[in-house]
Amino acid sequence: MKLSIIVPVYNMAADGKLEYCLDSLAAQTIGDYEVITVDDASTDNSLEILQKYEKKYPDRFRAVHSEVNKRQGGAKNIGLSMARGEWIGFIDSDDWIVPDMYERLIGRAEETGADMAGCDYCLTGEHSMKPGKQVANGKMEQSGILDEEKKRLLILDGGSLVVKVYRREIFMDTGIRFPEHIFYEDNAVGDAILLSARHYEYIPEPMYYYYQHEASTVHTISRERCEDRMAAGRGILENAKKFGYLETFRNEICFEYTMLFYVNTLFSYMVGSGKKSASFVKKMGDELREAFPDFMENPYYQERVNPEQKKMIAMQQKCTWGFLLYHKLLWTWRGLRKRLGR
């Protein structure tokens, strides 16, 4: 079999989201492929929808049910255990793709000898094939046989895993699997997956539609989501040690870990609702410093983190209570200026 497409599904039955995704997969122009849909213990009728597609396309769709909610990582792992394709692809169950996405990606990969290929995506808030805001998901400098410099570029700007296709050996020969029971599972294993490839091809065209809605993982801020980000950050570091690339790419791993585990988590947590926990913020800063004591000297940190964030991070590292007070006063002042129209 040429391709296995794995679709983790949890409570996606409303508003036709799931059907729009599955219809785009049923319409793929590549021959000889399977769609493995994994219902992650949904509490709505998502499973019934998946079974309907399995009945309608018995040679193409497979509906699997997990009795335990393992989140997307667990559902992807179930799909990987069943995948028969030479190539593996993933898609989120509220997104969709153009009909020839996989045909083009695999075609480019097989023409060039690549074992991984990717494209760009569109941001959209409506169910249509009308192009939305295009987001680059790679760089042309990353294409080709992956030498050390190209791998550095992939670590720093690897883009989303769902807009790529992978030779099955990348997963089956390495034993790479997704962490379960957390969000941001792709972040934890992204480097390990990308660095297991030997040759990457990038097509700078949007063939994947990323549906924007308030329930999306990236649009939901909570203490739990922040803790999941931190867990994913730990996964970045653990996999770098496990697969032996930490020292070679120490600056890149340090920066990526710093941004996911700490910077993005810290400032997301601070703008979320509810009372802020000084002990939680302090723990975050302490654990970062334990992993990378010199993170503020990292060249990517110096170049890519904005001055205001650097100022507040230095403040938090010195005194958590001072940081919390400063942040509250700053946002109170900004909110007042906004209300006054200044």
Side-chain angles (χ1 to χ4, degrees):
M1 179 168 288
K2 179 65 71 175
L3 168 68
S4 296
I5 306 169
I6 298 170
V7 191
V9 179
Y10 178 71
N11 287 355
M12 280 291 143
D15 305 320
K17 295 189 295 291
L18 183 54
E19 286 93 336
Y20 207 85
C21 171
L22 299 178
D23 286 343
S24 78
L25 299 181
Q28 288 301 293
T29 57
I30 190 170
D32 190 26
Y33 71 98
E34 64 179 356
V35 180
I36 304 173
T37 59
V38 183
D39 175 64
D40 189 29
S42 294
T43 58
D44 64 4
N45 67 326
S46 291
L47 179 59
E48 287 82 355
I49 295 172
L50 302 183
Q51 291 170 335
K52 180 181 71 174
Y53 277 78
E54 181 180 52
K55 185 176 181 180
K56 184 176 181 179
Y57 305 100
D59 60 335
R60 194 157 289 181
F61 277 73
R62 302 165 71 186
V64 185
H65 175 63
S66 173
E67 293 288 346
V68 179
N69 179 262
K70 299 181 178 182
R71 304 229 169 120
Q72 286 194 331
K76 289 174 183 175
N77 290 340
I78 291 172
L80 283 169
S81 72
M82 303 175 66
R84 298 173 292 176
E86 299 171 33
W87 294 89
I88 306 289
F90 303 94
I91 182 171
D92 291 339
S93 57
D94 52 353
D95 299 337
W96 58 95
I97 57 178
V98 299
D100 61 349
M101 176 176 134
Y102 284 116
E103 182 179 15
R104 292 187 61 193
L105 289 180
I106 293 175
R108 172 68 68 84
E110 292 184 337
E111 287 169 7
T112 59
D115 51 0
M116 180 173 71
C119 62
D120 293 338
Y121 61 86
C122 284
L123 299 176
T124 181
E126 62 181 49
H127 287 101
S128 77
M129 286 294 183
K130 184 172 70 176
K133 178 184 177 182
Q134 181 174 344
V135 178
N137 197 63
K139 298 178 179 180
M140 293 308 299
E141 309 92 270
Q142 297 167 331
S143 280
I145 295 173
L146 295 175
D147 57 18
E148 196 169 293
E149 183 56 33
K150 290 183 187 296
K151 288 182 177 182
R152 292 186 195 282
L153 294 174
L154 280 174
I155 294 172
L156 291 170
D157 299 297
S160 176
L161 296 182
V162 293
V163 294
K164 296 179 178 67
V165 67
Y166 313 86
R167 279 276 185 191
R168 69 179 285 115
E169 290 78 13
I170 288 177
F171 291 96
M172 305 312 173
D173 289 358
T174 61
I176 293 171
R177 293 297 183 270
F178 295 88
E180 303 184 354
H181 304 289
I182 68 168
F183 293 101
Y184 312 107
E185 73 288 343
D186 285 1
N187 298 92
V189 296
D191 293 338
I193 294 170
L194 299 176
L195 297 182
S196 294
R198 299 182 304 275
H199 183 152
Y200 172 58
E201 285 294 320
Y202 167 57
I203 300 176
E205 296 179 33
M207 293 187 271
Y208 187 104
Y209 286 76
Y210 176 33
Y211 185 50
Q212 301 285 283
H213 58 96
E214 291 306 311
S216 294
T217 299
V218 294
H219 291 133
T220 306
I221 300 170
S222 67
R223 169 75 175 261
E224 181 187 16
R225 295 293 173 94
C226 289
E227 290 174 338
D228 282 354
R229 269 189 182 151
M230 293 167 70
R234 294 184 192 106
I236 289 173
L237 193 52
E238 290 165 6
N239 282 307
K241 294 174 181 177
K242 176 181 177 180
F243 292 99
Y245 53 79
L246 176 59
E247 293 310 314
T248 303
F249 302 109
R250 189 172 187 82
N251 278 339
E252 290 75 23
I253 298 300
C254 169
F255 176 70
E256 185 183 29
Y257 174 89
T258 299
M259 293 305 296
L260 179 65
F261 178 88
Y262 178 76
V263 177
N264 293 340
T265 304
L266 174 64
F267 291 108
S268 294
Y269 177 68
M270 292 306 297
V271 300
S273 60
K275 186 179 179 181
K276 307 308 172 190
S277 166
S279 61
F280 179 62
V281 173
K282 185 178 186 302
K283 176 186 174 184
M284 196 187 307
D286 290 349
E287 190 171 339
L288 167 63
R289 195 166 56 253
E290 182 179 344
F292 294 102
D294 57 349
F295 76 93
M296 284 192 280
E297 306 306 315
N298 184 286
Y300 303 113
Y301 179 89
Q302 290 293 330
E303 177 185 346
R304 297 191 179 199
V305 178
N306 70 59
E308 181 177 78
Q309 286 185 330
K310 286 180 189 173
K311 175 182 176 181
M312 286 194 278
I313 287 167
M315 192 179 298
Q316 189 281 313
Q317 289 288 307
K318 185 176 180 180
C319 175
T320 296
W321 280 108
F323 161 76
L324 291 172
L325 179 60
Y326 177 84
H327 191 279
K328 183 175 182 178
L329 291 173
L330 176 65
W331 282 91
T332 299
W333 176 71
R334 286 180 173 170
L336 179 62
R337 283 178 59 90
K338 185 177 181 180
R339 286 195 296 272
L340 295 175
R342 294 180 183 177

